[in-house]
Amino acid sequence: METTETGNTRHAPESVDFPRIISVDDHTVEPPTVWSDRLPKKYLDSGPRIVRAPLKEMSFLGGKFAPVMGAPGDDGPIGDWWIYEDLHRPLTRLDTAVGYDRDEIKLEVITYEQMRKGSYDVPSRLADMDVNHVQSALCFPTFPRFCGQTFTEAPDRELGLLSVRAYNDWMVDEWCGPEAHGRLIPLTLVPLWDAELAAAEVRRNAARGVRAVAFSEIPPHLGLPSIHGDDWDPFLAACAETGTVIAMHIGSSSKMPSTSADAPPAVGSTITFANCCFSMVDWLMSGKFERFPGLKIMYAEGQIGWIPYILERADVVWEENRGWGGVADKVRKPPSEYFAEHVFGCFFDDAFGLKNLDSIGLANVLYETDYPHSDSTWPKSREVGEAQMGHLDARTVERIVRGNAIELLGLTEAGLWRPA
């Protein structure tokens, strides 16, 4: 299978054994007019919009991304920047790296013309999915960040709420609209600053057939309440009642794990699963799965190899220390049992996790391709999956690659999304 620089594809023969993939973690780079087409006119000068400008400086150390936009006429590489109130956020090669050699991928600003068209264009995305043996895909946002932190951090709440709703309308009606033929699965945002508004947005989108909502892995890192109190209960109730899965992507707490302020990005990239690990323990010890039996959560791009030990340790702590550990009255059974009923881990390259599948649970594992990020296995996700799952029987592979996603996300038997 080969891909030309213009995006045209030459297909390799498809495997008759490996199932068509349903990826539960891909990404969309929002087209420039998502918000300008949908916000009231009075917000067009303050809402999200694209400008082309030079880069003055940019760093990514200690898990912190710090770009500085230059003025017109300044020297520096030219890129497309999202402007939103006082925020200046450039598009970078890390937003969309597929099609480039790994050693050529650097932290640099880019324009839409310099990215693969499948990053933001539906027909081109479907073509790239075909190349990669992918049938359907759930996509996280880029400019809003992985759970809408961009809108949560902005001071104008009215504009923030309108921007969240505009994104969701674009996601449902356009990105996952008729042109996608059911192959793109909607993932929506909520106004994280107000749990009642968040619940209303969950229900608004659930009425349209949406069954997944983005959320922060560790809300306190965003200045928001933890899940241990009652603050989030209206939102959690709405998710449980509508069958809406809470999807948490690495980085959705705006604080990537690192070890020091001067640690290179490779350090954080190696331990990206850490926030998922902390988050999962939070949920298992929160008592929320007792209060909301229909609740389901999933961890995107967190991988799965770390899960067995954490479950073992959580069970030991619950068994031996729950009396003084503050969970005896709300966590009524071993945490591993809640995991089996409520939690899903997602991976794209985790041979160790697959070798320990019995300790995780076949029903709790989902596959992803991470298109178009630098970690993506595109265009060889099938080959990667075949290599890592070669020791598993066909039924097990089918469950991991598509069956579990169909059940969790309420897709058709054919693996497609259909609006309500």
Side-chain angles (χ1 to χ4, degrees):
M1 168 175 28
E2 297 180 1
T3 307
T4 69
E5 291 183 359
T6 60
N8 296 321
T9 55
R10 295 186 286 272
H11 294 260
E14 290 195 348
S15 167
V16 297
D17 299 317
F18 199 76
R20 287 288 297 278
I21 297 165
I22 297 177
S23 175
V24 295
D25 172 29
D26 285 2
H27 300 264
T28 177
V29 176
E30 299 80 19
T33 62
V34 167
W35 288 275
S36 59
D37 284 349
R38 292 169 177 82
L39 289 175
K41 289 184 179 180
K42 69 176 183 176
Y43 287 121
L44 294 184
D45 291 333
S46 56
R49 60 205 183 279
I50 285 286
V51 301
R52 188 158 291 185
L55 171 71
K56 186 175 181 180
E57 60 184 80
M58 181 164 60
S59 65
F60 186 24
L61 289 173
K64 294 184 178 181
F65 178 46
V68 179
M69 188 174 79
D74 284 352
D75 292 333
I78 301 297
D80 284 335
W81 295 69
W82 282 106
I83 309 298
Y84 172 48
E85 295 193 328
D86 295 329
L87 174 67
H88 297 166
R89 197 282 195 193
L91 296 176
T92 76
R93 178 57 61 208
L94 300 187
D95 292 326
T96 171
V98 292
Y100 285 77
D101 183 87
R102 299 277 174 144
D103 290 335
E104 296 177 354
I105 300 170
K106 302 175 182 179
L107 182 60
E108 58 184 351
V109 295
I110 60 171
T111 66
Y112 279 91
E113 289 80 7
Q114 292 172 305
M115 69 176 72
R116 192 170 183 85
K117 195 174 180 180
S119 302
Y120 61 89
D121 176 75
V122 171
S124 299
R125 172 60 65 93
L126 299 185
D128 278 357
M129 290 163 62
D130 288 338
V131 168
N132 202 30
H133 198 64
V134 173
Q135 179 191 23
S136 306
L138 180 83
C139 296
F140 283 82
T142 297
F143 169 69
R145 312 219 297 283
F146 295 144
C147 68
Q149 304 102 297
T150 296
F151 305 125
T152 301
E153 294 167 357
D156 189 331
R157 293 303 195 206
E158 181 181 359
L159 175 56
L161 179 58
L162 290 172
S163 296
V164 166
R165 289 174 175 169
Y167 177 87
N168 291 340
D169 290 344
W170 169 80
M171 167 62 61
V172 175
D173 299 333
E174 192 167 326
W175 183 251
C176 301
E179 197 173 34
H181 305 291
R183 298 180 60 189
L184 295 174
I185 306 163
L187 172 71
T188 52
L189 304 175
V190 293
L192 293 168
W193 59 89
D194 188 312
E196 293 287 355
L197 289 176
E201 190 63 12
V202 166
R203 291 190 170 94
R204 182 176 83 94
N205 291 306
R208 302 194 279 183
V210 177
R211 291 294 178 267
V213 63
F215 191 65
S216 174
E217 58 204 350
I218 307 177
H221 285 343
L222 303 180
L224 300 169
S226 80
I227 61 165
H228 294 291
D230 298 333
D231 303 81
W232 292 108
D233 284 1
F235 166 71
L236 301 183
C239 291
E241 291 164 11
T242 61
T244 300
V245 180
I246 297 176
M248 292 171 282
H249 195 284
I250 58 167
S252 57
S253 59
S254 294
K255 187 177 181 181
M256 293 299 289
S258 191
T259 55
S260 64
D262 60 349
V267 172
S269 185
T270 302
I271 57 175
T272 51
F273 71 91
N275 281 350
C276 298
C277 173
F278 301 156
S279 174
M280 190 178 79
V281 175
D282 250 356
W283 282 90
L284 293 177
M285 297 298 187
S286 70
K288 297 304 181 184
F289 296 134
E290 278 285 344
R291 294 193 58 193
F292 305 102
L295 206 57
K296 307 285 186 184
I297 67 173
M298 59 170 269
Y299 289 99
E301 208 173 321
Q303 312 304 332
I304 58 175
W306 53 272
I307 292 175
Y309 173 70
I310 295 301
L311 294 179
E312 177 183 290
R313 177 60 183 164
D315 280 358
V316 169
V317 169
W318 179 83
E319 184 66 40
E320 298 182 355
N321 302 325
R322 63 180 179 268
W324 62 265
V327 297
D329 60 337
K330 58 184 178 180
V331 181
R332 303 185 184 281
K333 56 187 179 182
S336 61
E337 294 186 24
Y338 292 110
F339 174 89
E341 297 167 1
H342 301 276
V343 185
F344 298 81
C346 311
F347 77 100
F348 56 77
D349 190 358
D350 193 338
F352 181 82
L354 289 169
K355 291 175 183 176
N356 293 276
L357 189 60
D358 288 346
S359 298
I360 302 169
L362 172 57
N364 301 85
V365 174
L366 306 168
Y367 197 44
E368 59 184 61
T369 78
D370 197 30
Y371 178 105
H373 285 179
S374 59
D375 272 340
S376 178
T377 52
W378 185 92
K380 297 182 178 181
S381 300
R382 180 186 69 197
E383 289 86 343
V384 170
E386 288 175 329
Q388 294 192 43
M389 301 183 211
H391 64 292
L392 302 174
D393 62 74
R395 175 184 170 276
T396 298
V397 173
E398 193 279 336
R399 287 283 302 277
I400 293 171
V401 173
R402 57 184 292 112
N404 289 339
I406 289 173
E407 182 176 347
L408 180 65
L409 298 172
L411 306 179
T412 69
E413 291 185 9
L416 302 175
W417 178 71
R418 288 288 180 261

